[in-house]
Every structure is written in C-alpha cells, then in structure tokens.
Amino acid sequence: PERRMVVSEGWNLIGGLYKPSCLMDPDQILSGGTGFGFDGSYVAMDLQNDVMMPGRGYWVYAMESGVIGVRTLHSPENAVRSY
C-alpha cells in the first residue's frame, strides 16, 4: 500500500508505515534526496535507497510544499540500509 503525505516548505518530521517502507518523491521536492534518521545520534540517509522502519521518525527538507508518497516494502532485506 501507498500513503501520501503533504509536506510544507522547510523541515518536516515524517514517519514510516506499519511495515518497513520507502519514500517516493516523483516531483523531486525533497532537497538532495537526503534526510536524517536517529539511531543514538542523527544519521544522514539516502531517501531513495534507505528503508524507514515502523515507529521511527525522520527529518526531510522540502524545497517547496507538496505531496510525497510512502510505500511499504515486501522485501526490506534488499534495501541498502534501514534506520
């Protein structure tokens, strides 16, 4: 399943879904494709390849207001990294 999220220009705190998930940014409004997860300290993450884990929050920077998508993954073990 896919969920759409409205983001505002600037920093946004978002979360994943009930399963490991990834971001979709078809309009490329997220700055540089980089966000931050927290794993004892802030960790830069590649928003196009890294997996968002359930129950965790992530900071993303939007260059303009718009809509992004979050999609659950069927095989998170194929992802580069998960936070």
Side-chain angles (χ1 to χ4, degrees):
E2 179 184 332
R3 181 174 148 207
R4 294 175 186 247
M5 292 183 187
V6 175
V7 293
S8 299
E9 181 179 352
W11 286 103
N12 294 266
L13 181 61
I14 64 169
L17 301 176
Y18 59 96
K19 291 184 177 181
S21 54
C22 64
L23 276 179
M24 296 182 312
D25 182 19
D27 297 327
Q28 298 181 346
I29 61 173
L30 299 180
S31 178
T34 302
F36 294 93
F38 190 81
D39 190 16
S41 63
Y42 285 101
V43 178
M45 57 184 293
D46 178 346
L47 298 176
Q48 295 186 3
N49 294 306
D50 291 344
V51 174
M52 296 189 307
M53 299 305 290
R56 296 191 180 184
Y58 302 89
W59 287 102
V60 295
Y61 188 86
M63 296 178 288
E64 60 187 65
S65 297
V67 177
I68 59 174
V70 178
R71 179 175 50 94
T72 58
L73 297 174
H74 296 290
S75 301
E77 57 276 356
N78 294 335
V80 177
R81 296 182 297 182
S82 59
Y83 295 101

